[in-house]
Amino acid sequence: MNIPSELKYTKDHEWVKVEGDQITVGITDFAQSELGDIVYVEVETLDETLEADEVFGTVEAVKTVSDLFLPVSGEIVSFNEDLEDEPEKVNTDPYGDGWMVKVKVSDASQLDNLLSADDYKALIGA
């Protein structure tokens, strides 16, 4: 199970890479393995400002559809459009080419509420 130590995590199995006042968000290796083959990623919140824990999109796998929750409040400034044609990138490279959105953070103090890699490992029993 790949859980990069430089990232932050949520209890909903999203990962967060902090880059100044912007974050990149995707789903974890654990989440993609639990979902199975991902066939569709939908994000209709581009250019919208959402609160922490609001749904910013969905990921559809062969077996199920799961909501994607925004880890911190902010504006969705970018969507990984490559996922429209190649949603399987979420399975093959969840922390790289499988990223989902970039967010301009409204309240940086919310980043302190995210899980460390060790905390996330404990959550999933890894």
Side-chain angles (χ1 to χ4, degrees):
M1 189 67 48
N2 185 12
I3 304 171
S5 60
E6 71 275 10
L7 302 177
K8 294 184 175 282
Y9 300 88
T10 72
K11 62 181 177 19
D12 298 309
H13 310 291
E14 281 95 15
W15 58 263
V16 175
K17 181 178 182 183
V18 180
E19 302 165 289
D21 69 343
Q22 195 167 288
I23 59 171
T24 302
V25 179
I27 65 169
T28 64
D29 190 26
F30 174 81
Q32 70 78 22
S33 68
E34 291 290 303
L35 287 169
D37 292 337
I38 295 183
V39 296
Y40 189 67
V41 177
E42 180 176 54
V43 173
E44 292 185 349
T45 52
L46 188 60
D47 299 324
E48 291 183 25
T49 298
L50 303 174
E51 294 299 315
D53 298 324
E54 278 194 85
V55 174
F56 72 83
T58 57
V59 62
E60 182 177 337
V62 174
K63 300 180 279 187
T64 189
V65 176
S66 290
D67 287 334
L68 299 167
F69 298 95
L70 198 61
V72 297
S73 301
E75 179 187 358
I76 310 287
V77 294
S78 182
F79 167 61
N80 184 354
E81 294 180 2
D82 290 347
L83 299 182
E84 291 178 341
D85 296 325
E86 299 176 87
E88 66 275 6
K89 285 184 175 186
V90 175
N91 291 115
T92 59
D93 192 10
Y95 301 112
D97 290 340
W99 67 273
M100 294 181 175
V101 294
K102 293 188 184 283
V103 180
K104 187 172 187 332
V105 177
S106 300
D107 181 358
S109 70
Q110 293 177 339
L111 294 168
D112 296 335
N113 299 330
L114 300 177
L115 303 173
S116 69
D118 288 340
D119 292 338
Y120 184 69
K121 285 176 188 173
L123 177 76
I124 63 172

